[in-house]
Amino acid sequence: MSLWTSLEPASATVDPGGSTTVRLRLRNTGDVVDEYRFEAVGPVAPWTSVEPQVLRLYPGTTGSVDLTFRPPRTPDATAGPNAYAVRISPTEHPEATTVPEGNLTVTPFTEVRAELVPPTVKGRFRGRPRLAVDNLGNTRLTASVSGSDNGDQLSYDIYPSNVQIEPGRAAFVKTTLKPRQIIWFGSKEDRPYTLAVQRSGVAPLDVEGTYVQRGFLPRWLATFLGVFMALAITFVLLWIAYKPSVRSMATEKLQEAGISTLPPSPTASPPAPPSPTVAATTPPAAAPTQSAGGAGSAGGGEEEEKETKAPERTAATAVQQLAAEDPGGRHICYRAYVAGKGWTDAVCDGETAGTVGEETPLKSLNIAVSGTKGTASAALVHNPESTDGRGHYNAPWSGVADGLDNYIGSTKKDAPNLLGFTINVDNGGGAVCQTAHVRHAAWLGMACDDPGAGEGFVFGGSLENDRWLEAVKFTV
C-alpha cells in the first residue's frame, strides 16, 4: 500500500436542499511521484462532487480534496444514514486502488400535497369525490382524513380514514357525501365542505370542495303539479255542487210519451245483422327481378368495387381476441399515443408500449381488460401554471366494463404531456400491476395495488413537470 487516507469527519449530516463538505486527506507513502484520480461511488454519488478530481503528490507529501454533498429536496433523498465512498485510483500503481468509506445522515423533511378529484361533485342524494394525497417528503407519511362544513349540512363516509404513504407515492381516499336533508322541490344548492389531512403535531392541511345538491323535482314541475291539483279539486267541487239531473228528466219525458223504460222481454230476440259482403281484390303484379350479374342494365358494364379500410386495432380489439382464446383468463391490453408519432400497436400482459431512451413524451393511454370486472384510470399531466414544478390531475377518473376502451390524457395538438397515472380493476377489488419508464430515469420497477390492505389502486410515473412518461407495462 503506497497511500494513506483519512476522512474528516467520518460522519456528516446534511439537510435536503442544502450542502455539507467533508475533507479527504491522503499521503503518498510510496517512493515515486504519483497522480491520484477521485470518483464518488455509492447511492449518494449523484449528489456528490469532488474538488479537485485529480491530485499529484510527491513521495512523503500530503494533500487533500473536498467532498461536497448536495442532496435534493425530493423523496429520492432518503432520510437517515447513507453510506458513501470515494474510489482513489493511483496512475503509477493502479493495483493499489483504495476506497475509503464514510457515513452521511440526511435529515428528514415532510411535504404533503392534497387535491380533490373532482373539486365539485353533483347529486341528489350523495356525491363521491376522491382525495389524492401525495407524499413529497423523504419519510413515511401517516395521516388521518376528516370532513366538515358550515351548518353540519353533510355527513361523511371516508375510506380509508387513516393512510400511510411511502416517500414519493400517492394515495386516494374515497369519500361519500350525503346531505342531511333532501331538497324535494326547487333549484340546486351549493354546499361547500372541507376535507382535512391531519398529521401528528402539525396544523391540518385543508382541501376545499363543493357539493352541488340538486332538487328531487325541478321547480317548474312542482308549480305545474300544484296548479293541476288545484284545478282538479276545483272541478270535482263544481261537479258535486252542480251535477245535472239528466237521468231523472229523461225518465219523466219517456213516461209522458207512454214509453216504458223497462228492458225488453227475454223471449223477444233482436233482429239478425245483415250478411257481410266481401269485395274481390287482386294482388299487385310482382316487379321484375334483376339478375345478380347485372343483365338488366343497358350498358352491361362491371360493378365498381369499393375499397374498405381496415378498422383501427384498439386495446379493446386486442383484449377481446385474447378473451375469445382464453375465456377464463385475466388479461389487460394497452397502447400509447407518442408525441409526433401517433398511436403505437396494441400490446398485452407486460409488453412495452411507447419508446425508451428517445425522450419522446406520451400524450394519452388506451387501456382495456377482460376477466377483471372493468377498469378505471386517471391521468396526471404537465401543469404550466405550477409553482412547485409539479403536475396535476386534469380530469376525474374514467371507468369502463370488461372488453371496452378506456382513454386517459388527450391526443389533441397542444395536449399536455403525461407525467403519471392511477389505475385499478374491479372498482379496487382486484389486483393490477404497472411499471413506467420516465424521462431521465430507467424503469421505475413493478408496483401493484393491495386490495386486501385497502389500497384499491396503484400510481405509476412521476410527479415532476419535466419527467414525463416514455413507456408503460401493465399486468393483471
Side-chain angles (χ1 to χ4, degrees):
M1 178 65 69
S2 61
L3 180 66
W4 170 86
T5 61
S6 174
L7 286 169
E8 300 176 358
S11 297
T13 301
V14 64
D15 297 328
S19 65
T20 189
T21 300
V22 173
R23 178 156 294 180
L24 171 63
R25 295 186 180 275
L26 64 160
R27 179 184 300 117
N28 184 357
T29 59
D31 54 2
V32 296
V33 178
D34 211 338
E35 185 177 76
Y36 304 93
R37 298 184 180 274
F38 305 91
E39 180 186 5
V41 295
V44 302
W47 320 328
T48 308
S49 61
V50 183
E51 185 65 31
Q53 295 184 347
V54 179
L55 187 64
R56 186 179 181 85
L57 294 177
Y58 287 92
T61 60
T62 302
S64 65
V65 295
D66 290 334
L67 308 178
T68 302
F69 303 96
R70 296 183 178 88
R73 190 176 175 83
T74 66
D76 297 332
T78 307
N82 294 268
Y84 71 89
V86 181
R87 181 185 293 116
I88 305 175
S89 303
T91 302
E92 298 297 331
H93 300 282
E95 73 282 356
T97 298
T98 183
V99 184
E101 298 180 355
N103 183 70
L104 177 68
T105 300
V106 179
T107 60
F109 77 95
T110 303
E111 185 176 345
V112 182
R113 184 177 64 185
E115 181 180 2
L116 275 170
V117 183
T120 300
V121 292
K122 301 177 182 180
R124 293 180 174 85
F125 305 108
R126 62 182 57 84
R128 292 189 175 93
R130 289 173 177 261
L131 180 66
V133 183
D134 298 314
N135 182 6
L136 306 180
N138 63 351
T139 59
R140 175 184 291 182
L141 169 67
T142 300
S144 61
V145 181
S146 61
S148 62
D149 60 274
N150 293 329
D152 195 24
Q153 298 175 334
L154 302 173
S155 64
Y156 303 85
D157 184 9
I158 300 174
Y159 179 81
S161 58
N162 295 281
V163 294
Q164 287 190 345
I165 310 174
E166 297 297 328
R169 302 298 297 271
F172 277 84
V173 178
K174 300 178 181 178
T175 305
T176 301
L177 311 174
K178 295 181 180 179
R180 299 189 184 276
Q181 293 183 350
I182 297 175
I183 302 175
W184 293 105
F185 300 99
S187 59
K188 61 187 178 182
E189 294 185 10
D190 293 345
R191 304 199 184 280
Y193 67 93
T194 301
L195 295 183
V197 181
Q198 179 67 61
R199 293 169 290 149
S200 177
V202 299
L205 174 61
D206 294 335
V207 183
E208 297 181 351
T210 302
Y211 172 63
V212 180
Q213 185 179 358
R214 295 171 173 169
F216 185 75
L217 294 175
R219 185 181 298 275
W220 68 266
L221 182 58
T223 303
F224 173 78
L225 291 177
V227 173
F228 177 79
M229 290 299 297
L231 292 175
I233 294 173
T234 302
F235 176 78
V236 171
L237 292 177
L238 291 174
W239 175 264
I240 294 175
Y242 301 100
K243 183 175 72 171
S245 55
V246 175
R247 180 180 180 86
S248 60
M249 294 177 65
T251 303
E252 293 173 357
K253 295 295 183 180
L254 290 173
Q255 291 175 353
E256 292 176 359
I259 302 175
S260 174
T261 59
L262 297 175
S265 172
T267 59
S269 57
S275 301
T277 60
V278 181
T281 59
T282 304
T289 60
Q290 185 179 8
S291 65
S297 61
E302 298 181 356
E303 295 182 356
E304 296 183 358
E305 296 183 357
K306 296 183 179 179
E307 295 184 358
T308 58
K309 182 179 180 182
E312 182 181 11
R313 189 173 187 267
T314 67
T317 308
V319 85
Q320 290 169 9
Q321 182 178 355
L322 285 180
E325 298 172 355
D326 181 19
R330 290 163 51 92
H331 301 284
I332 181 169
C333 295
Y334 42 93
R335 58 178 182 153
Y337 191 89
V338 183
K341 297 183 178 181
W343 286 108
T344 63
D345 293 334
V347 297
C348 304
D349 300 333
E351 297 181 88
T352 299
T355 61
V356 176
E358 299 182 11
E359 295 197 4
T360 306
L362 303 186
K363 299 288 187 176
S364 179
L365 292 177
N366 170 209
I367 305 171
V369 296
S370 67
T372 67
K373 299 181 181 180
T375 182
S377 308
L380 182 75
V381 301
H382 181 275
N383 181 12
E385 299 178 358
S386 173
T387 58
D388 58 358
R390 308 283 176 169
H392 70 122
Y393 291 94
N394 67 336
W397 284 59
S398 63
V400 296
D402 279 3
L404 299 181
D405 283 313
N406 191 29
Y407 291 89
I408 61 172
S410 174
T411 60
K412 294 182 178 179
K413 180 179 180 181
D414 299 326
N417 296 337
L418 277 180
L419 306 180
F421 55 84
T422 55
I423 186 172
N424 69 10
V425 294
D426 190 13
N427 197 24
V432 58
C433 300
Q434 61 76 32
T435 180
H437 192 289
V438 301
R439 183 193 186 203
H440 295 164
W443 289 99
L444 299 182
M446 186 66 68
C448 307
D449 60 349
D450 188 0
E455 296 182 1
F457 54 88
V458 64
F459 176 83
S462 169
L463 301 173
E464 301 176 14
N465 273 333
D466 61 349
R467 298 182 68 186
W468 54 70
L469 284 178
E470 293 185 347
V472 293
K473 300 178 183 178
F474 294 101
T475 58
V476 292

